[in-house]
Amino acid sequence: MTDTAIPAATIVVMRDGRGERPQVLAVTRGRDMAFAGGALAFPGGRIDEADRELAKTFSDPHAAWKLAAIRELIEETGVAVALDPLPSEALVAEAQRRLHQGEEFAELLRQFALSPILDALIPFTRWKPAFTQARIFDTIFFLAEAAEGDWHPRPQPGECESAEWVSAAELLERIDGGTAHAIFPTKRNLERLARFGSIGEARADAAAFPLETITPQVETIDGKQHVTIPGGLGYPVTSEPLATAFRA
């Protein structure tokens, strides 16, 4: 385990009513990105110092993570959740443009008279890999319900090749079929999300398990090396052969 992990936040935005299963907002990361280039993922990113400063005005112990999640969602997809009043798509598009230009999220909230609703983000899981790689993130994943309306994602140039509403089951089918790939934590979370028939079921599942930090380990199972995670934390699949766990 390293003590230089980068604090980060990921947001799983879900919406009901578009099919038999809820849809999630997924992005395909830019192929030139240093971390998980070209992979399917959920919107998110590191906690920056401005997030920490803004978090001081809230009592929520996860305020910095939640604020980063809301900000990164806007930056990467042009979609907003957990803001009061609910902004229009046009206003969010303007906020996205100005965030890309380097304006502070706190200043945009002030100018647009928007207040974050931190309780709308539900802690779902926390992952902190320990494998040797260029960057290691200590990431809290949050659940959030999509705001009213048909939000049309606008992927951030350079960061995301695409952004779309799609069921977790369909994303897993793409990964299994070889038309897409995802890193180990994303696959395990898609498998967990694919079980839910509604956002309410996802919230109940999140409440049923503690927010323990999950650190995958390599173990030998039936003579072969597998990447494993602990059982009892809500995941239907807790191991995968090492040969496929990180294959692009």
Side-chain angles (χ1 to χ4, degrees), residues 61-84:
H62 296 132
W65 283 265
K66 291 182 177 183
L67 291 165
I70 297 169
R71 171 182 56 76
E72 289 282 351
L73 178 66
I74 295 173
E75 288 184 11
E76 293 189 359
T77 70
V79 172
V81 298
L83 292 175
D84 183 39

Side-chain angles (χ1 to χ4, degrees), residues 132-223:
T132 301
Q133 54 193 49
R135 295 175 184 174
I136 295 177
F137 294 92
D138 180 2
T139 305
I140 299 180
F141 291 67
F142 297 97
L143 292 176
E145 184 172 0
E148 294 181 2
D150 290 322
W151 289 80
H152 301 93
R154 295 179 300 276
Q156 179 180 4
E159 295 275 343
C160 305
E161 292 185 358
S162 65
E164 61 181 321
W165 295 103
V166 59
S167 72
E170 182 176 336
L171 292 174
L172 288 170
E173 288 176 1
R174 294 181 194 175
I175 294 168
D176 290 342
T179 61
H181 74 277
I183 62 175
F184 183 85
T186 303
K187 287 187 282 186
R188 302 291 80 86
N189 280 297
L190 285 171
E191 290 157 351
R192 186 175 174 185
L193 291 164
R195 298 177 303 139
F196 305 139
S198 68
I199 296 169
E201 288 183 14
R203 290 197 188 100
D205 187 81
F209 298 98
L211 191 67
E212 294 184 6
T213 301
I214 296 174
T215 298
Q217 304 289 334
V218 176
E219 299 179 12
T220 300
I221 301 176
D222 295 330

Side-chain angles (χ1 to χ4, degrees), residues 124-128 209-215 230-233 235:
F124 184 61
T125 187
R126 185 170 188 165
W127 285 67
K128 184 180 180 182
F209 298 98
L211 191 67
E212 294 184 6
T213 301
I214 296 174
T215 298
L233 295 177
Y235 290 89

Side-chain angles (χ1 to χ4, degrees), residues 58 67-68 108 110-111 131 133 138 166 180 184 204 216 229 241:
F58 297 88
L67 291 165
L108 293 177
R110 186 191 67 78
Q111 291 183 24
F131 301 112
Q133 54 193 49
D138 180 2
V166 59
F184 183 85
I229 59 174

